[in-house]
Structures are given as structure tokens and as C-alpha cells.
Amino acid sequence: MSHTRRLVTGATLIAALAAGVLPATTAYAAPATSGPTADMDGVETALKAAMAQGAPGAMARYVGPYGAQVRTVGVRDRESGAAMDIRARFRIGSVSKTFSSVVLLQLVQEGKLTLDAPVNEYLPGLLPDDRITVRHLMTHRSGLADYTDDMFEHTVPGFESVRNRVFSYQELLDLSLALPRTTEPGVSYRYSNTNFVVVGMLIEKLTGTPVAEQYKKRIFKPLGLRDTMYVHPETKIPGFHVRGYLHPDEAGAPLVDSTEQTVSWAQSAGAVISSPADLNTFTTALMRGRLLSPEMLDAMTTVTPTDTTNTRFYGLGLRRYDLTCGVQVFGHTGTVQGFYTYTFATRDGKRALSAMANTSNKGSANTALGGTLEAAFCGKKPAAKFRTADVDIAEQR
């Protein structure tokens, strides 16, 4: 498996994590529709597992019937030793695709484009195939090759070659068009950052303004997301933030501080910065219909399988994971050099989790971080019971 495939795809979820139960709470009665009680000790176990797999630190914030609950482990800055802090900003990588999708779907609502129209209708001559539609872009079914496969074939050299580089959208698209197409339009799911580069081009063509202005106008300001911003081509994360660390391909090689970079290689596919609280606000608002009409939200959450496990699906810039307890959660995963992110919510928007580990190019750390979803949304796993003599022993697995 290439580094880039690890970079841009979500890792498999941990099916179960052993952990203790939360202290009993008597102040409130849980609503009947609240679902399983979050196992925050299990969330912390998953965060520690990500650390054991090479992340300097990790954090998670869960919101549900009882308000917000948080867990942090490790450090946000290896040099200073500063502890991980739930208030800190970080790069969210491909979670940016969901922000881009909301903007484009609002433009669909406004009659500025239609999902099943050819992209070339709005950007004449841009793509080599008139059959590629807007919907194909948003569902990763266009067949446009992912230029990052070649760009990051060698992790650290690839990153350093683009760390401070500023690309135009057209330059990124040209890198993709120089590669063979991966599938015929609409035939199969193949994740590609190129799709959301073109989404960014559509947004800017149809509005006549930069993507950054549309994010701010349509999402950041209406939701009061004070820690969320589109930072490009500046290299620094403004304000209080987490530092990110990239694992080289060579086992045992020292981590590379990858915090400062333009993320110009991603732009509308991955250059947004946020915080756990803002991500919770965004996913719950989206699922509760505050950003899209009911019809458009239904379209966004209409999904098709992305693999053979029948537990992972993709809609319009939105993932759905089917967890082991039967709960379905919607959101996105994110990977950018130095950061892994998960942000998901239930379809009714009543429960949400955002989790981050400050490393990347370490698939086992990403997989461990994914265990926060099972713990948060499925709760504590039932203990298996065994009888020894006349004593029942409950053993965690």
C-alpha cells in the first residue's frame, strides 16, 4: 500500500476497546432517544492506544444528552512538553471536504448548478470527459486520478518539496490529468483529492469570490465557529494550536515537525483549521438541518459502499460508518501531514464526537484513534461472564 493511500483514506475502526464505566450521574434522566451512554474511559483508552502507536498526543470531545465531555492525553508540543489541550486548533485535512460540499450544495439550492449536470457545463473545456458530473466529483466516482499518490510516494521528501509551495487549482488538476483515469465516470468509488480541487474551482467560478470567503459567509459566521478558518497560502496556524508530527517511511527515523506548511497541495480538499468544539458544532448543525434544506441533506446522506465490509459508505462529501452496535454516524475523516482527525455525529445530530491525534503516516495510530467512535457512540461493551466454582467472574475483552 502506498503512503498516499494511507494518507487520504480513513482507517478501519477498532471493533472493541476494554475500559471502565463512567461515574453514575443522578442530576438528569437520559432522554429515551439518547442511545448508549458514551464510554469516555473507552475513548481515553483509544487515545492512549494512538499514543502507543506513535502519536505524541491525542484528544477527543463528545457532546450528547449530558453536554460535553472531553479527554486528552500526551503533549501538543514535543519541544516544550505542553500538555494536549482540548481548546487548541489543528489542521483537519479531508474533513475540509465536508465544508466544501456544504458550500456547493447551498449553491445547488440557489439554482446556480445541478448535481447531475456535466462539470464542463460550468467550467467549459476543463475536464477531458463531458460525462463527469458534479455528483461524480462529490461521491469520488469521477475517475480523475489522485495526484497526491505520486506527490507523496516518498513521505518526507514529498512533503518537504511542497511544504512552502503555492499551487494554483489548475496546476493541481494538470497533475491529475497527466495520469491515467482510474475508472469510467460513475462506475466505482475511488477516493481522489482531485475531485475536491474541482469542487473548489466550481465554487469560485459560480460565486466570483475565493473559497475562503464562501466558507466564512456560509458556515463559519452563521455557526459562530471562532476557531475555524481556511488558511492558505499562509503557513502558520493562528492562535493557540497543536503541533503536528509526520512519521518518515523509514522505521525508527525521527518525527518531522510538519505544523507549518501552505497545504496548497490540498486547498479546498484539505486546508481548513478547526478545534474539537467547532467540529462538534459543525457536524451537529449539519445533521440538524441548519445548513441545508431537508432535500439537500437527504441527498448528501444518501450513500453507497466504499469497500466490501459493508460498514463504510460515502455520500456527497460525507462518510457514513455503521458501528458494531448498529449505530450509524455521519461525518468525515481527515489526514494532513502531522494530524489525524475523526469528526462524526448521529443522523439526528444529538450526539457527536471529534477526535485528533497529532501524527500521520502511521496507519496503526489512525486505526487506534478510530476506536473513539465505538466507545463514544456504542458505549461500554457488555462483559463476558464465566463461572468458577460458585462465583461469577466478569471479564473485560
Side-chain angles (χ1 to χ4, degrees):
M1 178 182 291
S2 72
H3 160 66
T4 304
R5 191 50 51 199
R6 295 196 301 272
L7 182 71
V8 297
T9 58
T12 55
L13 298 176
I14 293 177
L17 286 165
V21 297
L22 284 170
T25 302
T26 57
Y28 303 96
T33 59
S34 65
T37 299
D39 176 13
M40 294 306 294
D41 288 340
V43 168
E44 185 170 335
T45 298
L47 298 179
K48 289 178 177 177
M51 280 189 63
Q53 294 300 320
M59 61 179 170
R61 185 179 189 271
Y62 170 82
V63 290
Y66 306 120
Q69 302 178 72
V70 304
R71 291 289 189 274
T72 62
V73 299
V75 299
R76 63 179 177 83
D77 186 330
R78 296 178 73 222
E79 184 173 349
S80 70
M84 185 61 70
D85 193 310
I86 201 69
R87 299 167 299 173
R89 299 167 177 168
F90 53 91
R91 300 189 185 281
I92 66 173
S94 288
V95 177
S96 306
K97 292 178 172 66
T98 305
F99 285 85
S100 297
S101 295
V102 168
V103 172
L104 198 66
L105 290 174
Q106 288 186 358
L107 293 174
V108 173
Q109 288 178 186
E110 294 163 12
K112 293 183 171 63
L113 77 165
T114 58
L115 288 172
D116 294 312
V119 173
N120 284 349
E121 181 176 320
Y122 308 104
L123 295 166
L126 183 74
L127 301 181
D129 193 330
D130 287 337
R131 296 175 298 167
I132 298 175
T133 68
V134 176
R135 191 187 301 272
H136 291 152
L137 297 177
M138 301 181 74
T139 57
H140 292 292
R141 292 174 177 270
S142 69
L144 296 172
D146 192 341
Y147 57 88
T148 63
D149 286 346
D150 287 348
M151 185 179 285
F152 301 126
E153 181 180 1
H154 303 290
T155 302
V156 173
F159 166 64
E160 295 294 359
S161 71
V162 300
R163 182 199 281 264
N164 296 303
R165 186 168 173 183
V166 178
F167 293 91
S168 68
Y169 280 129
Q170 188 64 55
E171 285 175 315
L172 296 176
L173 178 60
D174 288 344
L175 291 175
S176 171
L177 296 181
L179 301 170
R181 302 256 289 282
T182 59
T183 182
E184 292 295 305
V187 171
S188 62
Y189 170 91
R190 289 292 298 271
Y191 193 96
S192 175
N193 285 291
T194 307
N195 292 315
F196 278 81
V197 166
V198 181
V199 166
M201 297 175 82
L202 281 168
I203 291 170
E204 296 196 348
K205 175 64 180 296
L206 294 169
T207 64
T209 61
V211 164
E213 290 188 22
Q214 294 300 315
Y215 286 150
K216 188 174 182 179
K217 171 186 174 183
R218 296 171 179 272
I219 304 174
F220 302 166
K221 276 194 169 183
L223 297 183
L225 306 183
R226 288 174 288 186
D227 291 321
T228 307
M229 59 205 70
Y230 179 74
V231 180
H232 175 267
E234 296 80 7
T235 60
K236 296 183 181 298
I237 301 176
F240 184 59
H241 64 274
V242 179
R243 300 200 70 83
Y245 300 94
L246 177 62
H247 274 82
D249 295 331
E250 300 76 22
L255 298 180
V256 174
D257 188 325
S258 53
T259 311
E260 277 81 38
Q261 58 166 306
T262 63
V263 198
S264 193
W265 61 267
Q267 299 189 51
S268 51
V272 174
I273 290 164
S274 193
S275 67
D278 275 9
L279 289 176
N280 287 157
T281 297
F282 172 63
T283 52
T284 55
L286 176 60
M287 290 297 103
R288 291 176 179 179
R290 289 184 58 191
L291 295 171
L292 297 172
S293 68
E295 295 78 15
M296 203 54 61
L297 185 56
D298 283 346
M300 191 181 199
T301 55
T302 298
V303 297
T304 54
T306 62
D307 58 22
T308 58
T309 67
N310 212 35
T311 59
R312 292 192 224 162
F313 304 82
Y314 207 90
L316 299 175
L318 194 70
R319 294 189 184 279
R320 190 187 88 191
Y321 283 169
D322 292 0
L323 304 180
T324 59
C325 59
V327 172
Q328 295 179 343
V329 292
F330 294 83
H332 216 288
T333 52
T335 301
V336 63
Q337 291 92 348
F339 302 94
Y340 284 132
T341 303
Y342 286 76
T343 185
F344 285 83
T346 52
R347 181 61 180 82
D348 59 10
K350 292 182 178 179
R351 297 189 291 147
L353 177 89
S354 294
M356 184 279 300
N358 58 340
T359 198
S360 67
N361 198 38
K362 191 69 183 296
S364 56
N366 195 12
T367 299
L369 185 68
T372 57
L373 296 177
E374 286 282 335
F377 292 107
C378 291
K380 183 175 171 55
K381 301 296 182 183
K385 291 187 176 181
F386 297 88
R387 181 171 291 277
T388 300
D390 293 325
V391 180
D392 285 336
I393 299 175
E395 181 177 313
Q396 291 182 347
R397 292 187 178 272

